[in-house]
Amino acid sequence: MSAGTGRLMSADRVVDQVLEASRSDGCVVIVEEVSQAELRFANNTVTTNGTRRDRDVTVVALRETERGTAVGTASSSGAADAVDLLRRAEANAATAQPAEDAAPLVTPRSSEPGSEFADPPVMTSLAGLGSVLAGLGDAFARAAAVGTRLAGYAEHHVSTVYLGSSTGLRLRYVEPTGKLEAVARADGGARSAWAATGAEDLATVHVEELKERLDRRLSWGERKLELDAGRYEVVLPPDAVADLIVPLGDATSGREAEEGRSVFSAPGGATRVGESLSSHRFSLRSDPFAEGLECTPFLVTGASGQDVSVFDNGLPLERTDWVSDGRLARLQYHRAGATRSGVEPAAFANNLILELPGATSTLEDLLGRTERGLLLTCLWYIREVDPATLLLTGLTRDGVYLVEHGEIVGSVNNFRFNESPVDLLSKAIEAGRTERALSREWNEWLNRTAMPPLRVAEFNMSSVSPAT
Amino acid sequence: MANVELDAEFLALPLDAVRSAVLDRARALGCEHAEARIERIRSQVVSLRDGRLETSADDLELGVGLRVVHEGSFGFAATVELDADAAAALADQAVATARATAPAVGERVELADEPSHGGAVWTSSYDLDPAGVPTAEKVALLEEWSGRLLGSPGVDHVTAYVLAVVEDKHYADLSGTVTTQRRVRVHPVVEATAVDAEAGGFETMRSLAPPAGRGWEYLLGEGWDWDGELARMPGYLAEKVHAPSVAPGAYDLVIDPTNLWLTIHESIGHATELDRAMGYEAAYAGTSFATFDKLGTLAYGSEVMNVTGDRTVDHGLATVAYDDEGVEAQSFDLIRDGVLVGYQLDRRIARLMGLGRSNGCAFADSPGHTPIQRMANVSLRPAPGDGPSTEELISSVDDGFYVVGDKSWSIDMQRYNFQFTGQRFFRIEKGKLAGQVRDLAYQSRTTEFWGAMQAVGGESTYRLGGAFNCGKGQPGQVAPVSHGCPAALFRGINVLNTREESGR
């Protein structure tokens, strides 16, 4: 990674320029600088690649009225004139009704602006992909020699966000995100395996190590078995747990729950906060300071939503336990919503951690204790079927294995499942030690996850999928 | 409908200077092919909850992307800096990327021939540029719609939103094609919710109006009967709340185009993308059961099944005059009399598989992304002449359901096994509608499902559906696409009860 600003006006100056030109009753400016390098491959050849430089500027303008505070926002990517953008935001505020999510703008914790606010954004390049590019040529050759085809993707993305406000906030944070994902397909696609790694820095990620994981899984599939649909005991590796738990995190809207339209609603306008979801003492949390999963420690949003507000920009984020001791502990609220409901505001940081405190078992330990069950690799095309139960449907993909008497005995056809992540917590037989995981389904939106392996009873495989 | 002129503000950008600088430099660096896109995408979301404004977000995306083929390797680079110096540097960057990745490129990239189209301009069919309609006017319309529903018995909550996108694109390549195109699209959605406060539980009913390649006039009644739809929604919702839960089993289904478009999208649209069928999406979007060796022989469905791909239909979301490889828009057959006869192509895959000219399916969703093969408007043809009406299709069912509106969807990575729900499901008994049921999902396999299609409705039942958000590729790209289809009759389809599926 290198530092550089190119020909654009520096981000800190954009913030200052807008705040100086602002005629509004309050103003927030967000500049997100993005630098990305990516590499895609399939059929043992690199297919697409690229490097990209982007900048997004969002201006939030407030207007005080007799009935409350109206807000207008405008965003632009590229080298747009920031003052034009401000005028668009102010024009939107001029005609807007008072906002339901209005709250006083966040003020700095200390009077001194952050010393690094004037620092340039951090940039990446193809070099940010580390040894991945160099390792692929050899991996392709060795795969081709045994009739295997590799397909996958590597990406390094660095976001540098600058947030300033008329109340004196001057915040900057650098959030690098990387991943390497690959599928190995053998026997003309009849056998396949998937493996992936999420990391801040791809220098720590090697194609060779990923290929070993793929080869190991491919070897489990040499004996093919056919099984019917039905309810099975399953062992979910941390990546597959992330596939199911990310939608659980998304379902924690306080407003929806209070309005009676979520899985966490209770009759009579109440919510299920405090209710036990599992006999295991699971903790589900987001935490900007979690080791290895560090992320932006203040709230940044360019648009309000049902539980997130542009008024809360710059709000310090801290560890928030959504599930604690196996009980639903918190729901999401912006500050205005929290005040109305008499609760504390709560917002997600850009990570999600599921943990059973004290658990030490590995995936192998869980498999060893499985009398008969299915080991899954990852889940895919997950969509909500019924929000009232948070019933999700989706498919198993690139590796389902039958486990008997603690041993993997062969690979099995794929299934369509219909299952709720809320029930997953209650049906868990045991959980292992939490480790970094990458959800195949959701990693574009949430890369930073840490999950335990889970052994779960009565997982509903609704039908067989002949897909390979 | 009169086409509107290109946008003066977009034309005032340094299009010529940037285009010349980037292509001249690419030519000087010895590229076999180079295509540059300068794009400006304006989008706006306005969202109301229970009649109050929740989100109003106004976004403008502006930048330039360059893809080159250099010594048989692709290289892509993009920036938001729109000046000649930055553009020339972009060419160096794209060539450097092509060179860096060349050692891991096992297949030399070559593109199917496409004649130069010289200079051309085009705009989609619309009357009112949504970017020109004041936000307050948009909010007021959605407020008024929300008020109508909130004032109806049994409606507890209403969400209303509209997403409007205006895309201006200036494209040029080394063959001399220089195009400037404007696409306009809007997606209005209204949903009403009924909550059972005492017992817990809730039901929703969403508008069926599809997203369309139209301007703001669409929300004012051009192309959709909003008054009729808003008037009927509370009644449908109230009936659904009190409807019995479905008994699972095999049933005949009459599927309305408001639901069937999505089944077409997932089980035909994606399955007939040749890059997928050849394994180039194996790690992400998936592959296809409709492999290349089955071209011309695969029995995809019954004899009444005829499917086309096009980039030409009026108001289609994937409609343009030229794609992002400079290929002219076309219309082509994918399935004829139930047999697979074609694929969607881009220039690389058309050349690789010896299929001649590309049929124009290469697109990038933004200046920052490289073009990939994206879906045309993939549509199921209605019965010729005075084909059956929806009522006639229903009248030929003894024991089944009439499925209306899309909701939940999921399909496997080879496009076999799918599951869909809907907005409302009407029981059909002895050829007559007999009230709604709840909790219905239909699950099937692609060739079994289309093989069970006994009849397609006539022209009178034909509608264009679609989506703004079809996802594909890594990094992820979204594309808008429409699918036209008639109502159709399917025999013996597996119906599930979603409450039973959740173990309740």
Side-chain angles (χ1 to χ4, degrees), chain A residues 17-39:
Chain A
Q17 187 193 30
V18 171
L19 291 174
E20 279 162 26
S22 169
R23 298 171 196 149
S24 53
D25 297 322
C27 186
V28 179
V29 190
I30 303 162
V31 180
E32 187 189 10
E33 299 272 10
V34 171
S35 175
Q36 178 165 314
E38 71 227 12
L39 183 68

Side-chain angles (χ1 to χ4, degrees), chain A residues 396-415:
Chain A
T396 62
R397 186 170 180 184
D398 292 321
V400 179
Y401 309 96
L402 179 65
V403 182
E404 285 181 334
H405 314 300
E407 301 284 336
I408 293 166
V409 296
S411 73
V412 180
N413 45 272
N414 280 304
F415 296 96

Side-chain angles (χ1 to χ4, degrees), chain A residues 7 40 43 45 49 51-52 73 75 77 181 268 304 306 381 383-384 397 416 418 440 444 460 465 468, chain B residues 49 55-56 58 60 74 81 93 106 197 266 278 281 283-284 368 408-410 412 414 417 474 501:
Chain A
R7 295 167 190 79
R40 199 173 190 212
N43 291 334
T45 184
N49 58 54
T51 55
R52 179 160 71 88
T73 64
S75 304
S77 73
E181 290 186 76
S304 291
Q306 63 185 356
Y381 222 129
R383 293 293 181 275
E384 185 178 273
R397 186 170 180 184
R416 168 173 299 288
N418 279 317
R440 186 173 191 180
E444 285 171 76
N460 180 16
S465 158
T468 57
Chain B
R49 196 179 176 103
T55 305
S56 165
D58 223 349
L60 186 149
F74 274 134
E81 296 172 90
Q93 206 181 325
E266 299 293 2
M278 296 306 298
E281 279 284 338
Y284 184 70
S408 173
W409 74 99
S410 175
D412 71 40
Q414 222 175 343
N417 174 310
Q474 286 183 303
E501 286 296 305

